[in-house]
Amino acid sequence: MKKMKRLLCISLALLATLPVWTGCNDDAFLAEKPETFYTVDNAFSTSEQVDQVLVSCYSQIRMMYCGVEENETSWAFGGGNGTDMFDVATLRRGSRFNDYGILNPSKDVFYNNYSHWYQLIAKANLALYAAELPQITWASEADRAYAAAQARFFRAFCYRNLGELYGGVPIVTEITTSPRYDYERTSRVETYQFAIDELEAILNDLPETTATPGRLVRGAAQHTLCQLYLDKGLALEEAGNAGEAKPAYDRAITYGNALIDGGTYGLMTERFGTRKDEHPDYYYTPNVAEQTPDRLYSAAGYPLEGNVFWDMFQEGNQDYQDGNREAIWCAQIDYAAYRKEDGNSKLQYTRSYGPVFRDNLADIVNGMLEDVGGRGIVCTTPTFYTRDIIYEDKWGDDMRNSEAVFRRIILGNIPGSPYYGKPIPWSVLYKEGDTQDAIDVVKTFNFPISCKIATDKFTGLADGENRSNLFRDEYLIRLAETVLLRAEAKWRGGDNAGAAADINLLRDRAKCGYRVQPSDVNVELILDERARELLYEETRWNTLLRMGGTIASERIKKYAYFDDPRATLTKNINLWPIPQLVIDTNKDKPMAQNPGW
C-alpha cells in the first residue's frame, strides 16, 4: 500500500508435541527440541511488527471495499447488487442476489461477508494485545496509543458493519487460542453501543491529520460515530424505544458538526488537482492505430467540460495530503506497488462494473477502449432508478449528471455506420422494438459511464494493462457522506429545515438549480440524494438495512430491473441472515436466526 510499510506475514502457532516414532533405536535423535517455541506473547519484539499487523488490517479493508475479490460477495457488499441501485446483468442471472426463492442463510455471500469482518476483528485484537506487551519499545507513549487506537477503530468499524447487516452479533474482544462453540449474540443496540464506546475512548489518541495518506485520523472516528449514533437511534425506534432515539440523533449531529464545521475538512467547490485545467476527451475508434487527434470527441463536435466533481475521481486527487479537503479516509492504490509486489493495489471497477456495448451492437459500436468505458464485463448493472429516475425533471441541472461525470454520449465507432462519429440514440442502444429478451440484454449491458469506474486516461497501457483497472486511491469516508448522515439525523430528530440546508450544501456544490425545501425532506429524498452523490461509493445494503421498517423491501421491489424480488420478496428485509454455518457450528449455545430467514 502506498507510503505504508509492506505487508508482512507473522505466523503464530501453538505447536503440539509430536509423538515419538517407534521402530527406531535412537529415541533421543527423534525427540523434538525446538529452538524457538512461538506464542502470541513472544512472537513480537518490536513496534514495527505490531504495525505490520495494523497494515494487514488496512489491506483487508481495501480488499473488502475496493473490489479486489471478484466474486458475488464483493458485488453484493461493495457493488450493491440486489438493492434498489443495482441489479444483475442478463449475462449474470446465475449470480442474481434479489431472487428470494434462492437466497437463504446458507448462501455463500452471507457467510463470506460475515467471516471477513471477524477475520478483521481477530487481526485488530491481535494488534491491540501486542501493543500492550511489556517487551515492546515504542518511540513515545503517543505512538503506542496511536497503534492501539487504530486497532480499536478497526474493531469498532467491523461491529458497525456487522450491526447494520446482521443485527446483534457476538462481541469478541480477546485473542482466541482454542476452539469455541458457545458465542452469544448481543442485541443490535448493544452491538452499536460497543462500537460507540470503542471510538469515543480513542478520539484523543487519533491525530487530527497525518502526513501518511491512508492512515486513520480523528475525522474517520467522528464520521463513524455520527453514523453509529444514527444507527442506534433507528434501532431504538425499531425496538419500540422512540423516546431514547432523540438523544442518539442529537449525538450524531454533534459528531457531524465536528467534521463539517470544524475547519479541517470542507466540500471541494472549485476545480483542483492533477487535471484541473483539463477536460475529459475520448477517441471513438476501435483501432488503436487510428487514435489520432481528429478522432476525438472534441474534434467531432462533442466536447465534454470538466468540473470539480470529475476532478475528485481523477488519479492523484483523492487524498487530504494532496489538497482534497473532502477526503477523510482513503484506501491506498499505487501502480508502482502493483507492478512490483502488490497485485491487490488496483481498482477493478472498469472490469467489474463497466458496460458491454460490444457484444450486441458490434455493427455500430465496438471495442474495449476509452470511448466505451474500457474492458467491462458488467458484473452488476445500475437500475433505471440509478441511471435515469433520480434525474427526472432535472436532467441537465446537476453536475453529478454532467457528461464528464456520468457520460451518456456514446459515439458510433465503426466506419461506414450511419452513427460513425455521431451520438447513438439510447433507443438504438436499448434496441427498442426488438424482442424482450434482446432488450433485456442490451438494457442491462449498456448504460451511462460513470467517471468513478472509468477514465479517458488509463494508467499502464505501455506496460500491457488492458483498461480493466483504475490506479487511483479510493474514498472510504468522504465529507459529502457526513453531510448526508447529519441531514438524516436532523430530519429524524424533527429538524426538517436543518436537514434541507445540509442537502442543499451538496446541491450548491453540484450547481443544482433545484433546491430542497423543509417540506420536501423524507426518507425517499435522503435515499435519492445518497444515490446521486455516492453512486459506486456507498455500501447500499448497509444503508437500506439500517433504516428498518419496510424501506429495503419496498425499494428493492420497486426499482429492481428484473421481477425476481417482486415475485419472491414476501417479507420485510431489515437484516441479512446469520449464516447457517455459524449457527450450526455454535453447538454449545443456541444462536437465534434473524426474523424471516
Side-chain angles (χ1 to χ4, degrees):
M1 296 166 68
K2 185 173 63 177
K3 299 181 182 178
M4 287 190 183
K5 297 181 178 69
R6 181 182 176 185
L7 174 61
L8 301 176
C9 295
I10 300 175
S11 298
L12 301 173
L14 296 175
L15 304 178
T17 302
L18 299 178
V20 176
W21 290 98
T22 58
C24 178
N25 294 327
D26 194 351
D27 290 346
F29 172 78
L30 293 173
E32 292 287 339
K33 296 179 181 179
E35 294 292 329
T36 305
F37 193 82
Y38 282 111
T39 71
V40 292
D41 289 308
N42 66 18
F44 294 91
S45 58
T46 67
S47 59
E48 288 78 8
Q49 291 173 326
V50 179
D51 193 62
Q52 289 163 8
V53 182
L54 291 172
V55 170
S56 75
C57 293
Y58 285 101
S59 180
Q60 183 148 344
I61 287 286
R62 185 181 66 179
M63 178 185 72
M64 296 168 70
Y65 273 85
C66 297
V68 172
E69 289 188 323
E70 193 176 34
N71 55 33
E72 286 187 73
T73 304
S74 175
W75 303 332
F77 173 69
N81 185 15
T83 64
D84 53 346
M85 288 182 65
F86 293 93
D87 207 332
V88 67
T90 306
L91 178 68
R92 310 288 175 188
R93 294 284 286 146
S95 301
R96 60 194 184 277
F97 196 65
N98 58 12
D99 182 345
Y100 291 82
I102 60 175
L103 288 183
N104 59 61
S106 296
K107 181 72 173 174
D108 286 349
V109 170
F110 301 129
Y111 178 74
N112 292 340
N113 183 273
Y114 187 95
S115 297
H116 275 319
W117 295 117
Y118 276 102
Q119 290 165 14
L120 182 51
I121 288 167
K123 292 176 182 177
N125 285 339
L126 177 61
L128 186 59
Y129 183 90
E132 304 295 339
L133 289 172
Q135 70 266 27
I136 304 295
T137 300
W138 296 89
S140 68
E141 173 56 24
D143 284 354
R144 187 209 61 76
Y146 181 44
Q150 290 173 86
R152 293 182 75 175
F153 175 93
F154 285 121
R155 194 163 66 179
F157 193 71
C158 290
Y159 284 114
R160 192 212 78 195
N161 277 279
L162 286 164
E164 289 173 344
L165 293 171
Y166 299 94
V169 295
I171 303 296
V172 181
T173 60
E174 304 290 339
I175 298 172
T176 303
T177 57
S178 59
R180 278 189 59 186
Y181 309 103
D182 61 349
Y183 289 103
E184 186 171 357
R185 292 187 68 179
T186 61
S187 70
R188 198 176 201 180
V189 171
E190 289 170 334
T191 299
Y192 291 146
Q193 189 61 54
F194 174 82
I196 287 169
D197 293 342
E198 286 286 278
L199 293 177
E200 290 186 329
I202 64 169
L203 277 176
N204 292 332
D205 294 327
L206 292 170
E208 187 73 21
T209 61
T210 175
T212 306
R215 286 286 183 169
L216 285 163
V217 292
R218 190 174 305 144
Q222 291 167 324
H223 171 97
T224 307
L225 281 163
C226 177
Q227 185 163 337
L228 277 163
Y229 272 111
L230 180 57
D231 289 347
K232 180 183 175 181
L234 287 163
L236 286 167
E237 288 199 58
E238 192 82 1
N241 299 319
E244 299 178 38
K246 179 64 164 60
Y249 297 142
D250 289 342
R251 290 291 288 165
I253 294 166
T254 297
Y255 280 112
N257 291 343
L259 277 177
I260 299 164
D261 306 324
T264 300
Y265 300 97
L267 296 177
M268 301 299 290
T269 58
E270 303 294 335
R271 297 208 60 188
F272 73 100
T274 58
R275 300 186 65 184
K276 66 179 180 179
D277 298 319
E278 297 181 34
H279 303 284
D281 212 346
Y282 300 87
Y283 288 99
Y284 59 93
T285 171
N287 189 332
V288 175
E290 295 175 5
Q291 286 186 337
T292 56
D294 62 317
R295 301 293 176 88
L296 288 168
Y297 268 49
S298 56
Y302 303 99
L304 282 65
E305 185 176 350
N307 55 51
V308 65
F309 204 86
W310 179 78
D311 286 337
M312 285 200 296
F313 297 92
Q314 300 312 299
E315 192 172 314
N317 288 358
Q318 285 68 54
D319 293 308
Y320 186 89
Q321 293 81 356
D322 295 326
N324 186 342
R325 295 186 64 242
E326 193 164 333
I328 298 172
W329 186 28
C330 291
Q332 299 298 290
I333 307 294
D334 183 65
Y335 181 65
Y338 167 79
R339 292 287 298 176
K340 185 176 181 180
E341 60 189 5
D342 186 358
N344 289 334
S345 190
K346 61 185 177 182
L347 301 178
Q348 295 184 128
Y349 293 173
T350 301
R351 172 178 165 84
S352 292
Y353 304 136
V356 183
F357 293 93
R358 61 188 178 271
D359 279 0
N360 299 283
L361 297 160
D363 56 336
I364 57 175
V365 62
N366 206 337
M368 295 180 284
L369 304 185
E370 290 83 352
D371 61 329
V372 290
R375 190 174 175 268
I377 62 171
V378 68
C379 297
T380 66
T381 186
T383 61
F384 275 84
Y385 162 77
T386 301
R387 62 179 88 169
D388 290 347
I389 292 173
I390 54 175
Y391 295 109
E392 285 180 350
D393 302 324
K394 38 193 173 285
W395 199 259
D397 196 15
D398 192 322
M399 185 186 294
R400 298 166 297 189
N401 192 41
S402 64
E403 285 296 326
V405 174
F406 204 37
R407 181 162 57 93
R408 301 172 187 274
I409 295 177
I410 308 298
L411 301 186
N413 61 20
I414 302 300
S417 161
Y419 298 108
Y420 185 62
K422 301 176 182 178
I424 308 169
W426 281 92
S427 60
V428 174
L429 292 172
Y430 288 157
K431 289 192 174 182
E432 291 182 6
D434 209 324
T435 66
Q436 188 59 48
D437 285 347
I439 291 172
D440 284 340
V441 170
V442 293
K443 281 191 171 181
T444 61
F445 277 32
N446 305 336
F447 41 85
I449 305 168
S450 170
C451 70
K452 298 179 184 180
I453 65 166
T455 179
D456 60 327
K457 290 187 176 181
F458 282 95
T459 293
L461 299 182
D463 299 322
E465 288 296 310
N466 59 11
R467 299 175 177 86
S468 292
N469 305 315
L470 301 179
F471 294 98
R472 61 167 175 81
D473 297 340
E474 176 62 313
Y475 300 106
L476 297 171
I477 298 176
R478 184 161 66 86
L479 188 67
E481 186 176 12
T482 317
V483 172
L484 287 164
L485 291 172
R486 187 177 73 172
E488 184 181 343
K490 287 179 177 179
W491 169 68
R492 293 189 183 279
D495 181 8
N496 283 35
D502 275 352
I503 294 171
N504 283 332
L505 291 174
L506 300 181
R507 294 199 176 178
D508 288 345
R509 190 263 291 282
K511 308 296 183 185
C512 298
Y514 59 104
R515 292 172 61 83
V516 178
Q517 301 302 317
S519 59
D520 298 333
V521 183
N522 55 36
V523 70
E524 300 296 325
L525 182 140
I526 288 169
L527 286 169
D528 291 352
E529 200 67 21
R530 290 185 68 92
R532 295 184 192 100
E533 183 71 27
L534 301 174
L535 172 65
Y536 292 110
E537 292 182 75
E538 79 165 323
T539 50
R540 190 67 167 188
W541 272 112
N542 291 61
T543 299
L544 293 181
L545 294 177
R546 70 174 173 79
M547 291 191 169
T550 61
I551 297 297
S553 297
E554 289 177 353
R555 289 182 68 90
I556 291 168
K557 287 190 287 188
K558 182 177 182 179
Y559 293 118
Y561 181 83
F562 291 105
D563 286 331
D564 299 315
R566 286 181 277 277
T568 62
L569 184 48
T570 59
K571 55 195 172 188
N572 288 330
I573 301 297
N574 296 328
L575 295 169
W576 278 357
I578 299 296
Q580 191 60 46
L581 183 59
V582 171
I583 292 175
D584 293 343
T585 303
N586 204 61
K587 61 184 180 63
D588 294 340
K589 186 78 174 181
M591 185 176 288
Q593 183 54 274
N594 286 327
W597 292 98

